[in-house]
Amino acid sequence: MGEQDTIPTWEPGVKQLAPNVYAYIQSRATWFWNNAGFIVGAEYVIVIDSLATVGLTEEFRDEIRNITDKPVRYLINTHHHGDHIWANHVFSGATIISHSYCRREATETPMMDPGLLNAVFTEFDFGGIAVTPADITFDSRLTLHVDGREVRLIHLGPGHTAGDLLVHLPEEGIVFPGDLIFLYSTPLGMEGSFAGWLKNLDTVAAMDSRIYVPGHGPVCDVEGLNQCRDYLLLVLREAKERYGKGMTPDEAARDIPLGPFRQWPDRERILANVERLWREFRGEDPTTSKLDLAEVFMRMAAMAQAGEL
Ligand SMILES: [Zn+2]
């Protein structure tokens, strides 16, 4: 069986999920290709996440304009990663909402150099990216009331990052979980908590929704959530065993059999995941015990290039 045989293809673009609720889906689920969404109310639009570059986000904004000319009043950031926030300013005039940790990370961590990003990720143009932090932050829950319906923003504790929020539309049975769900895209846990992420996915599954819009990958039902959960469980279990044997993260990353997830793109993320897990096993807090991301990125890239995984 070929490498790609278990990775389906899917239709990119705007996908209507329910009356006035849309996902914006990328055809790829590799580095910097992330999904977004929007909700059209009677008077205004709520957007969920911007994209990695100004150009991609302008295309997204134009797609929204094809459906409605109502103004974007709120822009929700599911977490602080650049692919979800760096082009917030394309929605100028929108009030930005995030978890308080997301805002803190966005403002306190120096932004990656666009020139360097252009050199490494040559398919993108990172010119003009900027950090536009949230105007409104919260720590646990915040509910927007839109035409009598609830749009619930919920933080479940550290998961993919320490400041994730998910958007839950209880009446429609739809969840925008941000990067709490990666599907056909290797989950990246370098800044959060694996134990927390798994617990959070159980909480999301218990919301009994029909539709999930992963941060990366195609729209799915609970089966997609479970696939992401299976990756996290596998990595947690296999890493723990190797941590117990005294392996280094590099040794463990090369040694862990990824099974079916070997075919998901960017499998070198296992290294960042194992680096995080070694800290988690030592009982370190992800908000204070951080990885040197640039250094880990270089090692991941070297590992991928050398075909070591
Ligand atoms: Zn992310």
Side-chain angles (χ1 to χ4, degrees), residues 156-159 193-205 229 232:
L156 295 169
S193 154
F194 275 71
W197 193 342
L198 282 161
K199 184 172 66 69
N200 296 350
L201 283 181
D202 287 345
T203 306
V204 175
R229 189 172 172 276
L232 300 175

Side-chain angles (χ1 to χ4, degrees), residues 206-217:
M207 290 173 178
D208 227 7
S209 294
R210 294 182 300 123
I211 299 173
Y212 304 87
V213 182
H216 301 267

Side-chain angles (χ1 to χ4, degrees), residues 79-82 85-86 98-112 131 133-134 137 161-164 190-192 286-291 293:
H79 62 294
H80 70 273
H81 286 158
I85 69 166
W86 279 340
S98 79
H99 187 264
S100 54
Y101 183 83
C102 169
R103 186 184 200 283
R104 197 158 72 235
E105 280 295 298
T107 52
E108 291 180 4
T109 308
M111 203 178 72
M112 290 168 86
V131 167
T137 63
T161 70
D164 307 324
M190 61 190 178
E191 292 183 281
T287 65
T288 51
S289 161
K290 295 183 182 181
L291 268 62
L293 296 181

Side-chain angles (χ1 to χ4, degrees), residues 130-285:
V131 167
T132 312
D135 304 292
I136 296 174
T137 63
F138 68 97
D139 288 326
S140 179
R141 281 166 180 261
L142 182 74
T143 302
L144 305 180
H145 297 270
V146 186
D147 312 330
R149 293 179 315 170
E150 290 191 357
V151 176
R152 296 180 183 167
L153 315 188
I154 303 170
H155 170 68
L156 295 169
H160 167 66
T161 70
D164 307 324
L165 69 81
L166 62 86
V167 180
H168 181 212
L169 307 179
E171 280 175 42
E172 290 87 351
I174 296 170
V175 174
F176 291 87
D179 284 2
L180 283 172
I181 299 180
F182 284 71
L183 182 57
Y184 308 124
S185 171
T186 302
L188 183 61
M190 61 190 178
E191 292 183 281
S193 154
F194 275 71
W197 193 342
L198 282 161
K199 184 172 66 69
N200 296 350
L201 283 181
D202 287 345
T203 306
V204 175
M207 290 173 178
D208 227 7
S209 294
R210 294 182 300 123
I211 299 173
Y212 304 87
V213 182
H216 301 267
V219 172
C220 62
D221 57 16
V222 74
E223 178 52 34
L225 179 152
N226 285 333
Q227 287 200 54
C228 180
R229 189 172 172 276
D230 287 348
Y231 173 89
L232 300 175
L233 272 174
L234 179 146
V235 170
L236 179 59
R237 184 185 67 234
E238 299 289 333
K240 196 157 207 167
E241 195 185 308
R242 285 159 181 81
Y243 177 80
K245 288 179 182 166
M247 282 190 185
T248 64
D250 275 276
E251 287 167 345
R254 289 192 182 89
D255 195 50
I256 290 174
L258 292 172
F261 301 108
R262 200 172 183 282
Q263 305 193 13
W264 287 20
D266 306 322
R267 61 180 180 254
E268 69 274 15
R269 291 174 181 171
I270 184 69
L271 178 63
N273 291 339
V274 169
E275 284 282 2
R276 177 80 259 146
L277 276 165
W278 258 231
R279 288 158 177 80
E280 191 167 325
F281 295 148
R282 291 195 296 259
E284 296 170 15
D285 180 339

Side-chain angles (χ1 to χ4, degrees), residues 18-69:
N20 304 314
V21 182
Y22 302 85
Y24 185 64
I25 302 296
Q26 308 287 353
S27 62
R28 306 176 57 193
T30 55
W31 292 105
F32 291 109
W33 288 106
N34 67 298
N35 299 326
F38 60 102
I39 301 161
V40 181
E43 290 170 18
Y44 59 86
V45 179
I46 298 170
V47 172
I48 301 163
D49 279 339
S50 59
L51 305 176
T53 72
V54 170
L56 287 170
T57 308
E58 285 174 344
E59 281 174 35
F60 173 35
R61 186 193 56 196
D62 292 346
E63 291 287 352
I64 298 171
R65 287 283 159 266
N66 286 338
I67 287 171
T68 177
D69 57 7

